[in-house]
Amino acid sequence: MSSVVNVVLPVFALIFLGYLCRRTNRLGPSAASELNRFVVWLGLPALLFKITATSTWAEVWQPGFIAAFSIGCLGVFAFTLLYRVMQKQPLVDASLDALGASYANTGYVGFPLCLLILGEAGLQPALVASLIVVCVLFALALACVEMGLHAGQGIAKTLAKVSRSLSMNPLVLAPLLGGAWAFGGLELPSGPKTLLDLLGAAAAPCALVSLGLFLAQPQPSGPVRGVWPLVLLKLIVQPALTWYFAAVVFELEPLWVYSALLLSALPTGTGPYMLAEFYGREGSRVSRVVLLSTLGSLVTLSICLYLLPV
């Protein structure tokens, strides 16, 4: 329990600092959007480029783990998306809900948690999971959002606009360029690497402070519908599904089974909130999913750690 608290507490502290700064008017009403733009256009792209550019094929290619973790997050994403669309929800908002139910906070919580619980060996599964979340799941959600925005304009025209938008999106472009750099076999020069380190290190705190700023703004009165099902999907359904495939179907080694369970049981990251802000959509539901899943993960992660023989 103390290990989980030690990792999650700084996350809450950053959200609270953003909340406090907005409530005391230290940061203005546009601060949340502007800080989020920094994360989307500079901080997170730098982090994604660095992760992919400095990864080796041997580190990334773990087929059983990739399959188990992907089935967990993509399965929950697809189920939630289909269910929301069947409820007549616009594709853009359905995509954001689906991302909120499946987007594990592997970057901000996953790396330190795996390091604390599993040691240095736990960083490799955390890296692979992060690449799946940010390069596959996030890109898929972006594609669905863009398709929703350009729907009704004909298939060819819609596909052309979606492709153009995705090719110019820094969150898609950065890992693709990083992968191309890694494929070329070149090392990052020290100067650019330091720049990427500085920008990437700012992504997490800025995203969390931005979330706190958003939560401090006037929220819709009354409960926001549809939050708890997304939280339950993220904290219970996704880890259970991932563990089943990792332990029973693929029979992975214990380290990879434990890592798959812990990483899939992580709370929702700030990615869905950043997308909602970036595209000007209603962010109250996804922001509450981030907050409540982070709170709930104190319980669910503690149960996972109690069950694991580590």
Side-chain angles (χ1 to χ4, degrees):
M1 181 66 178
S2 61
S3 298
V4 179
V5 172
N6 288 336
V7 174
V8 176
L9 185 60
V11 174
F12 281 116
L14 286 168
I15 294 174
F16 176 73
L17 286 174
Y19 181 91
L20 190 63
C21 286
R22 181 66 197 98
R23 283 296 189 185
T24 58
N25 209 31
R26 295 297 186 273
L27 293 174
S30 63
S33 296
E34 295 305 318
L35 201 55
N36 189 66
R37 286 179 181 274
F38 166 80
V39 175
V40 171
W41 286 99
L42 289 175
L44 194 53
L47 182 63
L48 297 180
F49 180 88
K50 180 196 167 187
I51 288 176
T52 52
T54 57
S55 301
T56 64
W57 183 250
E59 291 175 324
V60 174
W61 185 241
Q62 302 291 336
F65 179 84
I66 291 172
F69 190 84
S70 298
I71 289 171
C73 64
L74 295 179
V76 170
F77 178 87
F79 171 80
T80 308
L81 180 66
L82 180 61
Y83 181 74
R84 290 300 199 203
V85 169
M86 290 176 63
Q87 289 184 317
K88 308 300 182 184
Q89 191 172 15
L91 181 58
V92 176
D93 298 316
S95 302
L96 293 174
D97 283 351
L99 191 62
S102 56
Y103 188 92
N105 198 341
T106 55
Y108 307 159
V109 182
F111 276 100
L113 182 65
C114 285
L115 184 61
L116 278 172
I117 304 303
L118 302 172
E120 291 287 339
L123 293 180
Q124 188 175 346
L127 169 65
V128 178
S130 296
L131 291 174
I132 295 171
V133 169
V134 299
C135 299
V136 179
L137 179 63
F138 203 74
L140 179 61
L142 277 171
C144 292
V145 168
E146 290 288 348
M147 288 182 64
L149 291 174
H150 300 297
Q153 301 180 8
I155 295 179
K157 195 172 183 180
T158 298
L159 289 177
K161 286 191 173 183
V162 169
S163 300
R164 186 161 55 251
S165 297
L166 290 177
S167 66
M168 298 174 63
N169 192 299
L171 302 179
V172 175
L173 194 59
L176 290 178
L177 292 176
W181 184 280
F183 183 76
L186 299 175
E187 289 190 8
L188 284 173
S190 59
K193 186 176 183 297
T194 301
L195 174 63
L196 293 173
D197 287 339
L198 291 171
L199 286 173
C206 286
L208 293 168
V209 170
S210 176
L211 176 58
L213 291 167
F214 175 81
L215 292 173
Q217 296 173 359
Q219 299 291 320
S221 58
V224 178
R225 298 180 60 186
V227 172
W228 282 110
L230 301 181
V231 174
L232 294 176
L233 282 168
K234 179 69 207 68
L235 296 183
I236 297 177
V237 176
Q238 184 177 342
L241 186 63
T242 303
W243 173 86
Y244 176 78
F245 277 92
V248 179
V249 177
F250 298 112
E251 298 181 342
L252 301 181
E253 295 180 2
L255 170 69
W256 292 92
V257 174
Y258 303 158
S259 301
L261 177 60
L262 289 176
L263 290 164
S264 61
L266 294 173
T268 302
T270 55
Y273 162 73
M274 289 190 299
L275 276 191
E277 274 287 306
F278 184 69
Y279 284 102
R281 311 299 291 195
E282 173 57 48
S284 58
R285 180 156 57 223
V286 292
S287 65
R288 294 192 187 187
V289 169
V290 173
L291 184 61
L292 292 176
S293 66
T294 304
L295 282 168
S297 68
L298 288 171
V299 177
T300 55
L301 282 173
S302 297
I303 294 174
C304 290
L305 292 176
Y306 177 78
L307 296 175
L308 294 180
V310 294

